[in-house]
Amino acid sequence: MLTTLAPPELYRFTGGEPPTLDELGARYGRQSRGQSEDGSAGWLNWIVRPACGGPAIGFVQATLGREEDGLVADLAWLVTPEAQGRGIAVEAASTVVMWLRSVDVRHIRAFIHPDHTASMQVARRTGLAPTSALIDGEILWEAFVPTAAEH
């Protein structure tokens, strides 16, 4: 993942910079616990690899929390530049969204920079829709999953 996360252009919309080996090790150490220190958020992380094999080309993350109506997932995805433009982010994020729905996550959200058209396309193709909410400079995209009673 160090190579996957190395291109500086990946941080154009999110800020920050490529992690060092120590930073990445510390991050994965925290994430592998599966939840925040206070237990208020669950962390799910998937590494994306090509179907034909090879090194990692991205990731999808879901941070789980609880709302009045049930579980909410904040979704994020990243695909390294040389693998972009082939539908990989859509396929990976869609797979995670289907799985989240299967485990009764009722509200799925993504926060996307207003100029990040590629991420907007991924969100749209995974079933999320933009809202008018701007949070920390990012547009809130979301989808609600109806319960069986609401069908």
Side-chain angles (χ1 to χ4, degrees), residues 74-149:
D74 290 340
L75 200 60
W77 52 84
L78 175 143
V79 172
T80 198
E82 55 271 0
Q84 292 176 3
R86 296 187 275 173
I88 294 166
V90 171
E91 181 180 356
S94 295
T95 301
V96 169
V97 166
M98 283 190 311
W99 182 82
L100 290 169
R101 290 177 174 196
S102 78
V103 296
D104 296 327
V105 173
R106 302 238 319 117
H107 186 189
I108 300 170
R109 307 183 300 197
F111 299 88
I112 301 174
H113 189 282
D115 295 329
H116 200 323
T117 55
S119 276
M120 290 181 202
Q121 290 172 344
V122 172
R124 188 171 284 112
R125 292 185 62 197
T126 59
L128 280 69
T131 70
S132 60
L134 193 64
I135 300 168
D136 293 330
E138 295 181 316
I139 299 168
L140 169 63
W141 286 67
E142 60 188 358
F144 292 91
V145 181
T147 63

Side-chain angles (χ1 to χ4, degrees), residues 20-37:
T20 65
L21 182 59
D22 288 342
E23 290 167 341
L24 195 58
R27 177 187 309 168
Y28 287 161
R30 287 188 307 274
Q31 290 175 344
S32 67
R33 287 194 306 261
Q35 65 180 11
S36 60
E37 207 167 290

Side-chain angles (χ1 to χ4, degrees), residues 48-69:
V48 177
R49 295 183 181 277
C52 60
I57 55 174
F59 66 80
V60 179
Q61 297 177 323
T63 301
L64 298 179
R66 205 157 268 294
E67 294 181 329
E68 290 177 17
D69 295 343

